[in-house]
């Protein structure tokens, strides 16, 4: 393989894995989840809630786009809004039990992918790959904050 194609291979791998996991999620009763929802779930799963403005900032979208995403997720039963503890003008968004169930299924299928990869290339090589990717993220983080969000 030619040098310089590693970023494309990483992107293709990510896409293939996400497609597989979303197929499994659909079979598990989460057919209404889109890949874009996962970026919001990931952000919300690491905090006790967030405002739409915080979510918009994390996702790199407008406040209006984040509010629409929250509306959609709320209608689907994945998030709920509640009063902000310190700002009466703001509302907090947090995951519901259904949102956490979806994350749990996602994590189960992600672990299954890693297990298959360990079978394909060996557990030691998989650990080396993980370590190398972490170093790449650390290196990129020296220049700017690296967050998991859509880049398209």
């Amino acid at each position: 393989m030619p040098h310089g194609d590693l970023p494309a291979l990483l992107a293709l791998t990510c896409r293939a894995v996400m497609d597989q996991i979303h197929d499994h999620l659909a079979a598990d009763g989460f057919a209404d989840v889109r890949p874009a929802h996962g970026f919001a779930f990931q952000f919300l799963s690491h905090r006790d809630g967030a405002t739409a403005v915080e979510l918009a900032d994390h996702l790199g979208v407008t406040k209006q786009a984040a509010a629409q995403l929250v509306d959609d997720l709320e209608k689907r039963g994945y998030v709920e809004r509640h009063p902000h503890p310190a700002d009466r003008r703001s509302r907090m968004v947090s995951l519901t039990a259904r949102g956490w169930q979806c994350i749990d299924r996602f994590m189960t299928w992600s672990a299954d992918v890693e297990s298959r990869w360990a079978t394909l290339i060996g557990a030691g090589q998989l650990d080396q790959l993980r370590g190398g990717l972490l170093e790449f993220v650390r290196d990129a983080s020296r220049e700017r904050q690296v967050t998991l969000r859509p880049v398209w």
Side-chain angles (χ1 to χ4, degrees), residues 15 19 27 37 43 58 62 69 73 85 88 95 99 136 144 151:
R15 176 62 192 259
D19 287 350
H37 296 153
F43 182 69
H58 172 74
T62 65
L69 177 66
L73 290 173
R88 291 188 305 179
L95 294 162
F136 295 155
R144 68 172 62 166
V151 293

Side-chain angles (χ1 to χ4, degrees), residues 27-40:
D28 288 345
F30 300 100
D32 58 343
V33 173
R34 298 188 327 256
H37 296 153
F39 294 102

Side-chain angles (χ1 to χ4, degrees), residues 2 17 19 22 25-26 34 39 51 54 62 67 73 102 104-105 115-116 123 126 136-137 140 143:
V17 168
D19 287 350
H22 278 272
L25 288 174
R34 298 188 327 256
F39 294 102
T51 65
E54 292 168 330
T62 65
L73 290 173
C102 185
D104 180 60
R105 296 307 304 148
S115 177
R116 284 196 325 262
L126 186 60
F136 295 155
V137 170
E143 296 178 19

Side-chain angles (χ1 to χ4, degrees), residues 4-126:
D5 65 345
L6 189 55
L9 287 172
L10 289 170
L12 285 169
T13 300
C14 181
R15 176 62 192 259
V17 168
M18 288 301 107
D19 287 350
Q20 290 172 356
I21 289 175
H22 278 272
D23 288 346
H24 288 296
L25 288 174
D28 288 345
F30 300 100
D32 58 343
V33 173
R34 298 188 327 256
H37 296 153
F39 294 102
F41 288 178
Q42 187 273 338
F43 182 69
L44 294 171
S45 71
H46 291 89
R47 47 189 14 92
D48 291 330
T51 65
V53 171
E54 292 168 330
L55 186 58
D57 184 53
H58 172 74
L59 295 175
V61 300
T62 65
K63 179 183 169 189
Q64 292 80 7
Q68 288 176 343
L69 177 66
V70 171
D71 288 344
D72 184 45
L73 290 173
E74 188 175 38
K75 287 176 190 168
R76 295 169 191 252
Y78 293 103
V79 302
E80 61 189 357
R81 288 181 169 111
H82 45 90
H84 191 288
D87 183 355
R88 291 188 305 179
R89 297 171 296 157
S90 293
R91 307 264 301 153
M92 296 294 288
V93 178
S94 60
L95 294 162
T96 62
R98 180 163 173 74
W100 284 109
Q101 289 167 349
C102 185
I103 289 171
D104 180 60
R105 296 307 304 148
F106 178 88
M107 296 305 294
T108 297
W109 289 116
S110 292
D112 183 65
V113 166
E114 287 192 28
S115 177
R116 284 196 325 262
W117 286 0
T119 300
L120 286 171
I121 67 171
Q125 277 192 279
L126 186 60

